[in-house]
Amino acid sequence: MARILLVEDDPSLRRGLSMGLRRQGHQLHEAGTGEEALDLLRAAVPEIVVLDLMLPGIDGFEVARRIRSAGSTPIIMLTARDDDLDIVSGLEAGADDYVVKPIRPRVLDARIRAILRRAERVASGAEIYGDLAIDRDALTVTRAGQEVVLTPTELRMLLELSRSPGVVMSRQHLLQAVWEHDFLGDSRIVDACVQRLRAKIEPNPAQPVHVRTVRTFGYRFQADPR
């Protein structure tokens, strides 16, 4: 069971998803606007947020940015269209995953459980790469001695890439390893996650030294950044 904040301005859709998720054993808090969502975020302290992008008042993009600036609570965004701009903008705002409406509650439940499993998974060992230190036991990351706050998805991405330094990992491999389900080759979520990760761990995200792009294929973690 998880504490879920469901943010959706369509009452009928919100009611249907809420009922379905409650049947799966979750505890639901509901909001119909961005303002209500931000108030509930402080009061309910959810373990995960399911967030519609198109909201009256403060929209979902801004809500996601504020959630992310305050911490690492996972976010699944709801979008009405499989539109590149909406999806990429939502991912860049801090979402960990996305689903296109309409979505069945049992499918959404599976996405929620996958994200929460990733957040709880622990690997062993500790490594130092230049100014970057990854503690796999404590699940902490520091850069130049300062702790870096990563979302569970960003942390999973870094752990997966750094597990095999120098090895090129395809986007499809990262989709399966980090998100644990098939996105039918949709690499946008991988690229957006890498972009956010670089913004946090790279001295200069425009010229990354830790997470390198291998053109047309994927990414490689550099063990000896220079």
Side-chain angles (χ1 to χ4, degrees):
M1 184 181 74
R3 291 188 312 279
I4 301 170
L5 173 56
L6 173 62
V7 188
E8 167 59 58
D9 66 326
D10 183 325
S12 61
L13 178 57
R14 186 173 69 245
R15 185 166 51 252
L17 288 175
S18 178
M19 290 175 60
L21 291 172
R22 284 193 171 94
R23 290 193 191 102
Q24 301 300 319
H26 299 295
Q27 178 184 346
L28 267 291
H29 299 274
E30 302 175 33
T33 67
E35 291 84 353
E36 290 176 4
L38 293 172
D39 287 341
L40 278 172
L41 186 72
R42 291 183 285 269
V45 193
E47 296 169 81
I48 191 166
V49 178
V50 179
L51 175 65
D52 183 25
L53 293 180
M54 298 296 105
L55 295 170
I58 300 175
D59 66 17
F61 299 103
E62 180 61 22
V63 172
R65 283 189 285 267
R66 294 193 190 184
I67 291 173
R68 192 55 66 238
S69 67
S72 59
T73 304
I75 302 168
I76 297 179
M77 67 179 190
L78 295 173
T79 178
R81 302 175 299 169
D82 186 12
D83 180 87
D84 282 1
L85 182 59
D86 280 355
I87 290 171
V88 172
S89 297
L91 294 170
E92 290 177 345
D96 297 274
D97 197 354
Y98 73 88
V99 294
V100 178
K101 297 186 285 188
I103 181 75
R104 295 191 301 277
R106 295 185 72 173
V107 175
L108 181 56
D109 171 64
R111 296 287 185 94
I112 290 168
R113 291 180 188 273
I115 284 182
L116 294 178
R117 282 198 306 270
R118 296 199 303 266
E120 293 172 355
R121 188 166 299 162
V122 177
S124 61
E127 301 123 12
I128 296 177
Y129 304 100
D131 66 346
L132 190 68
I134 303 171
D135 188 327
R136 293 180 180 270
D137 290 322
L139 291 183
T140 58
V141 177
T142 59
R143 183 170 72 84
Q146 299 296 314
E147 184 171 0
V148 180
V149 179
L150 299 178
T151 69
T153 303
E154 292 162 358
L155 180 59
R156 284 277 293 163
M157 176 69 78
L158 180 59
L159 291 176
E160 182 63 24
L161 286 166
S162 64
R163 189 166 285 118
S164 302
V167 174
V168 179
M169 295 187 182
S170 69
R171 290 174 173 82
Q172 194 61 39
H173 168 83
L174 292 169
L175 282 170
Q176 294 169 351
V178 176
W179 281 268
E180 299 182 342
H181 55 88
D182 188 3
F183 274 81
L184 302 177
D186 189 344
S187 64
R188 293 171 295 190
I189 195 168
V190 174
D191 296 336
C193 184
V194 168
Q195 182 180 2
R196 296 202 314 266
L197 179 61
R198 282 173 169 166
K200 295 180 179 182
I201 70 169
E202 299 284 0
N204 179 2
Q207 296 180 321
V209 297
H210 297 294
V211 180
R212 305 285 185 87
T213 299
V214 180
R215 191 174 179 182
T216 76
F217 191 77
Y219 297 97
R220 179 184 73 245
F221 186 83
Q222 190 68 29
D224 184 19
R226 292 179 182 175

